[in-house]
Amino acid sequence: MATGSYPATRFRRTKRFDAIRRLVRENTLSVDDLIWPVFIRDGEDDETPIPSMPGVSRLTVDRVVKAAREAADLGIPAICLFPYIDTSLKTELCEEAWNPDNLSNRATRAIKDAVPEIAVMTDVALDPYNINGHDGIVRDGVIVNDESVEALVKMAIAQAAAGSDILGPSDMMDGRIGQMRAALEAAGHRDTCILSYSAKYASAFYGPFRDAVGASGLLKGDKKTYQMDPGNTDEALRLVERDLREGADMVMVKPGMPYLDVCRRVAERFDAPLFAYQVSGEYAMISGAAQNGWIDGERAMMESLIAFKRAGCDGILTYFAKDAARLLNG
Ligand code: PBG
């Protein structure tokens, strides 16, 4: 398939005006590609702006229901809930994580009740409930794997019972997908999807998120004994393969933009639905620079999102979901 030489071939012909550019475009972004992560808090008819994420707030349950209605009306297929838990409810063993009436489960029920057509995704990890800020249970300074998995399974079942459509295990413990899948089947939750955070890196780009869920001040040490080393990509393929074998329906690479090469490798190797998480730090960089007038925020947002499609992702978790949907809907 040879490309002719000049002047038989002039690449500028297909760039001449918008209609022709659209006609030859290889990748497109659609509202159907978007999952919108939101932060929830206790209280009524109120919200708290998150300083490190300009334009993003923690919403009370009634407000998140309204937000879900707006998202569904924009055509966004899924909303992903992250709870901000009061410090008084955080413990060493994270019991609040599987309380059937915890904030996340109450919000799930309220959204499924009022806006049944939107898919609700929930986060399966202990960090919002952990007095240590870690995703697993800590014993003598060690994040213990198997005991954490037992807790995560209880948490997953409580979320499925509350009506969560997609469980998102973001904890990176070993064996969690298989145990969760077995427990879901046993409890009769046969149709609950698992979107595994399979290739999740130990990243500085999660900083603003930890502020948003109130885990920044509490986190002791780092997450390098369970999240991936930024130097690795072969390991990402092994993790994805393992999670698919254990019963994940969809897989994720996270963060997004610094790991587009990982997205590409996973997309080429596996046929399963693949998502990237454009994380809080990526959002903060783009929206912070835009606020300062250093870049055109709308254009940078859309350019950053199409990059994920080009890299082979089927969809993107992004705090820009609503803004992008409004632009896509014209
Ligand atoms: C933790 C979790 C994190 C994010 C999603 N789930 C942070 C972490 O691993 O410390 C990050 C999301 C973001 O930065 O937007 N279970």
Side-chain angles (χ1 to χ4, degrees):
M1 212 225 311
T3 287
S5 55
Y6 169 87
T9 300
R10 289 182 188 264
F11 281 95
R12 294 189 57 191
R13 288 185 198 122
T14 51
K15 294 182 178 63
R16 201 159 57 85
F17 66 109
D18 188 58
I20 298 183
R21 286 193 294 269
R22 280 193 285 133
L23 205 56
V24 302
R25 185 164 297 145
E26 297 171 43
N27 296 284
T28 53
L29 179 71
S30 147
V31 177
D32 295 338
D33 301 326
L34 304 172
I35 298 178
W36 184 34
V38 294
F39 299 105
I40 49 179
R41 49 158 274 200
D42 256 314
E44 243 174 86
D45 195 20
D46 203 0
E47 60 187 82
T48 319
I50 300 156
S52 51
M53 299 181 74
V56 176
S57 295
R58 294 180 201 122
L59 308 176
T60 53
V61 172
D62 52 341
R63 289 218 182 171
V64 89
V65 170
K66 281 191 199 131
R69 175 79 271 153
E70 285 165 27
D73 291 345
L74 284 165
I76 296 172
I79 189 167
C80 180
L81 309 180
F82 291 100
Y84 174 89
I85 300 297
D86 194 84
T87 317
S88 67
L89 292 171
K90 300 188 190 214
T91 57
E92 301 258 349
L93 294 179
C94 315
E95 289 94 340
E96 180 66 7
W98 53 91
N99 174 356
D101 288 317
N102 70 19
L103 178 60
S104 173
N105 292 333
R106 276 186 277 125
T108 299
R109 279 196 292 269
I111 294 170
K112 289 311 294 187
D113 208 38
V115 196
E117 71 270 31
I118 201 162
V120 171
M121 174 169 170
T122 49
D123 193 58
V124 188
L126 301 177
D127 51 321
Y129 308 95
N130 202 337
I131 198 74
N132 299 290
H134 275 290
D135 295 13
I137 291 169
V138 183
R139 296 223 177 257
D140 300 326
V142 175
I143 294 92
V144 290
N145 192 86
D146 299 6
E147 194 182 345
S148 299
V149 171
E150 280 174 36
L152 292 162
V153 167
K154 284 189 260 182
M155 184 179 185
I157 294 296
Q159 291 179 355
S164 174
D165 300 294
I166 306 171
L167 303 180
S170 68
D171 55 286
M172 292 296 277
M173 297 298 122
D174 285 315
R176 83 252 212 239
I177 303 298
Q179 304 248 345
M180 248 172 239
R181 179 53 78 203
L184 287 167
E185 287 288 324
H189 300 297
R190 296 183 189 91
D191 295 326
T192 306
C193 292
I194 297 179
L195 197 181
S196 181
Y197 287 63
S198 298
K200 177 175 178 181
Y201 287 84
S203 173
F205 290 94
Y206 307 149
F209 173 97
R210 291 180 190 166
D211 297 340
V213 299
S216 300
L218 297 173
L219 182 63
K220 295 197 181 74
D222 56 47
K223 301 193 176 183
K224 290 180 187 171
T225 68
Y226 46 107
Q227 299 181 346
M228 283 183 69
D229 186 306
N232 295 351
T233 62
D234 290 342
E235 187 188 9
L237 301 180
R238 297 176 66 205
L239 284 161
V240 166
E241 182 172 18
R242 192 250 337 242
D243 287 358
L244 290 172
R245 276 189 209 285
E246 289 189 12
D249 305 285
M250 308 175 248
V251 294
M252 190 199 295
V253 171
K254 176 188 177 187
M257 208 143 76
Y259 297 90
L260 288 174
D261 58 321
V262 181
C263 296
R264 169 47 58 195
R265 284 195 76 189
V266 172
E268 278 176 5
R269 178 81 68 94
F270 301 95
D271 298 325
L274 168 65
F275 292 81
Y277 198 141
Q278 181 179 54
V279 300
S280 56
E282 299 175 66
Y283 174 87
M285 286 195 298
I286 293 172
S287 49
Q291 250 188 357
N292 279 299
W294 296 336
I295 56 172
D296 178 329
E298 267 185 10
R299 288 186 53 208
M301 164 179 82
M302 295 312 265
E303 189 176 332
S304 70
L305 293 173
I306 196 70
F308 297 109
K309 297 301 296 292
R310 211 175 55 236
C313 294
D314 297 289
I316 309 112
L317 286 94
T318 175
Y319 301 98
F320 287 123
K322 254 182 163 171
D323 300 327
R326 276 195 205 99
L327 276 182
L328 290 166
N329 292 336

